Amino acid sequence: MSDQPDFETNGEADDPEMSDAFRAGMREAGYHVLRAGYELLAGVSAFLEAVGGAGQDGTPEGPAPQRIEVE
């Protein structure tokens, strides 16, 4: 048996105020997790667009090659 308190034996599991607070907290946490996931996907998308689209707009990626004549 564990040394941790058991909510059912302490009577705290039947407390409706605690149950409502728990649900509200979990709802807020879920909202923030979803929002963070969306921001992560937006960041990855922007990164991939910048990396994958480099040099595809018709302009060279770097300076133009320079020809040096040797005598």
Side-chain angles (χ1 to χ4, degrees), residues 32-65:
H32 287 292
V33 167
L34 287 175
R35 191 163 175 195
Y38 172 78
E39 291 295 329
L40 177 68
L41 287 176
V44 169
S45 174
F47 172 76
L48 292 176
E49 184 177 315
V51 169
Q56 291 185 359
D57 58 353
T59 60
E61 293 181 19

Side-chain angles (χ1 to χ4, degrees), residues 2 7 17 26 32 35 41-42 48 50 52 58 66 70:
S2 171
F7 287 115
E17 188 174 313
M26 289 303 290
H32 287 292
R35 191 163 175 195
L41 287 176
L48 292 176
Q66 191 176 28
V70 180

